[in-house]
Amino acid sequence: MQTISSTQTKFWLRVAFKGFTLFVIANLVFPFSNIDYGKFSLYNLIFMGRLRLPYSEQPSESYNVTITNLDAMFASHILSGKPKFSTEYRVLLIGDSATWGYLLLPDQTLAAYLNEMQLHTPDGKQVVFYNLGYPVMSLLKDVLLLKRGLEYQPDLVLWLVTLESFPMQKQFASPLLEQNQSEVMRMLNDLELNKAMPTPPLVQQPLWKRSLIGQRKALADWFRYQLYGFLWTATHIDHAIPDEIPEKQVDLSADTEFYSQSPPNFDPHFLAFAVLEAAFHLATPTPIILINEPMFISNGLNSQIRYNFYYPRWAYDEYRNLLANFCLERSLTCWDIWNLIPPDEFTNTAIHMTPQGTAQTAQWIATALDKWMQKR
Amino acid sequence: MSIQQVLLLVFLAFLCGRVKNHRIRNFLLIVSSFVIFYRFQTATPIFFLDFWLPTFAILMALTVWAATQTSLKKALKDNLQTLVIALLVISLISANRYLTLCCITATRPPHLWVVLSFIVIFFILLAVFVLAIPHGTRLGLLIIAFIAIFVVLKTPEFSLLLSKVLRWINQQDPRFSSPNDLVWLGISYILFRLLHLLFDSRAGRLPPANLAETLCYIFFFPALVAGPIARFPQFQAELKKSPQLEEVVEGMQRVFIGLFRKFVLADSLALLSLSPQNAPLIQSSIYLWTALLAYSLRIYFDFSGYTDIAIGSARLMGIRLPENFNAPYLKTNLIQFWSSWHITLADWFRSYVFNPLARKLRLNSAMPSWLTILIPQLSTMLLIGLWHGISPNFFLWGAWHGVGLFLNNRWTSLRKSAPSSRFQALQSFFGWGLTFAFVTLGWVWFLMPTFDGAIETFRKLLGFGL
């Protein structure tokens, strides 16, 4: 490389100055530009659409990144890449990590097994299931995803729930909700949920946090997520499953408390049934079938007090009663399959199932769904 | 290196470049290099090893300097100031242990008295070594010792054994030993520089050098982690220069190019690249080829990006480091590729392995001429392969290139006349395609840890087994 002249030095200093000025301007303009970069996606364009929403604890091994930009999350999903044909009966699955398929490959999830069965409606439409589960236990998170999902003209929503998603205090405790605060607040207003539940105040982010520098992690994650599309398409891997999966807890403590609740009953405002109710209003006229998902029932130490690590027996029994009443009073279709799956078919927690357990659940749902469709 | 570490490096280089007095600048360079060395050394599970590894490297450098001196007494007298500064830095880094805001090293360093005792014992042994053993013999012994260190560090079985020994010394459970316990920052490059000094000193080619220049050369912080491997005489001459404004601008330009190559291009390509984990999972040969291509580009941008940062940072001090890459992927044959890929490493091996061996073989008139080419070429490339790690995959990668270079050489000799200008462009294009494909396919050996894994990847690249 040859030594450059002073004219060139001045040239490069000018370049540096102009570059810096442009960078500052770009940072200042970005927060006000309302650029929905999340809507731009390489998925469904050059890479295969994702079968489930982006979530990853080990990006480099799962070719997946946890991003919280809802536009980007949905733009990458296979749901966005498929126009709905008249021959399709579209079913969305929403729920927690069990629905998402934690510790399962993409072809071992509940949605995948249901699709494998090639179900048809009585009028001959093919039933296609889409996995909109997400590994956070919060009904409000489910509703947020449901609201987005409804834009894709579903014919039916299967909503898998468990008690752990119900405590009011857990509703906002997720980065997905925190990062989409304004959308969540809008939704709470629209559904009039802000009166029914204690909502955290809307925090307006300072300007610098909304600038390019402030948003660098979100932008970098989005960019990485786009590039991981290549290895996702090439390998069909979106979740790294460890060689050794830690065992679920079988021997339990003698603790009878569930969060701050003690037997025999829940505080009337402890469980977020209001969110459940709002979701049904939101989805109308699309039907929702509520499914109380299978869980591990321990026979270990203190299993007479608790069903598993999550639930004391009284709390879970009370929850099932309340859920049954909720469905009965509103004439909703609810399926309670809490004890469907044998204990051996659960992996690291009380709700994560083995591929066999998931397939068994899918089989049960498929049979019930067939009957339900026949009735309609 | 993280982007923060790179920025720290650039900032320090800029500061060093502002010092006009060369003597003071050299001292500042030594202090900065040592601090960076200790700071960037990652933690290891073996107690205090993140302090001892840089310390050993510094003591190895002092040994080489002392061993290359003809009169140790006079050399010590002339370089006492530098020696004191070097030892003071080590001691102060160790003394960090006693500060509330510990530490420069990744974990708490050992007690100062332990370090000082060790240094005293080291100097006694060094004095005995230098005074008792003749010049040529001690240089030879050091060469053998450093090659042995190389072999131990690059062979997983030996590294594991050493880790067990170190754990036993530290009264740690040897069952948890791993070859990864001995991650020694920049040691390959340090050993190359030390061996270069020893070889050249033995051959009488090494110019007289003071301790400050020697330490600056060995631990020059911009080139500590990823080279390039400068030659001492050139570096010594560069050390005497002061940076001009143009050079600072040029250096910054180069640093920005390096940052872009490393943190934008290479890190993005890493997300698409072939790896031992994803190779068995990729389900189509087109994707496999794309991932391999991404790896090929990534390894180039990653390494050349670091080199740009090193060269650019050095320019901020007015020091011109040798180039390490010269558009290698645009070359039209393998010989040209190896003259433009990791140039300083290839030059090092050319000087100390290929040329001496080729000369020796040529003197043996009974040997066929093709063999006098094949043997040095293959040995050199095998050693370059094994430098990355003593394992079958690197051996095969070296052999792949060794054979490739030999065939390239034979082809060039057999081809009597140059093609007519009509076909020259076509031949160049064909040559480029063949060279790039050869090098890119060669990365499969480099990448896959097992022979079976590499063969399976080749099969899948050709569309079999999918």
Side-chain angles (χ1 to χ4, degrees), chain A residues 1-6 8-9 12-13 46-47 61 63 223-224 227-228 230-231 233-237, chain B residues 245-247 249-250 253-254 268 271-273 275 277-278 281-284 287 290-291 315 320 323:
Chain A
M1 215 183 258
Q2 296 201 334
T3 308
I4 50 177
S5 69
S6 59
Q8 277 179 304
T9 305
W12 284 109
L13 286 175
I46 55 172
F47 301 137
E61 286 171 41
Y63 320 130
F223 181 69
R224 282 198 300 157
L227 292 185
Y228 272 135
F230 170 74
L231 283 175
T233 311
T235 62
H236 295 194
I237 298 289
Chain B
L245 178 64
E246 288 84 358
E247 287 175 300
V249 174
E250 195 180 280
Q253 235 177 295
R254 197 71 191 267
S268 299
L271 307 182
L272 316 173
S273 293
S275 71
Q277 288 75 38
N278 66 35
L281 301 170
I282 293 180
Q283 299 173 1
S284 113
Y287 287 122
T290 313
R315 295 298 285 149
R320 196 181 287 272
E323 291 295 334

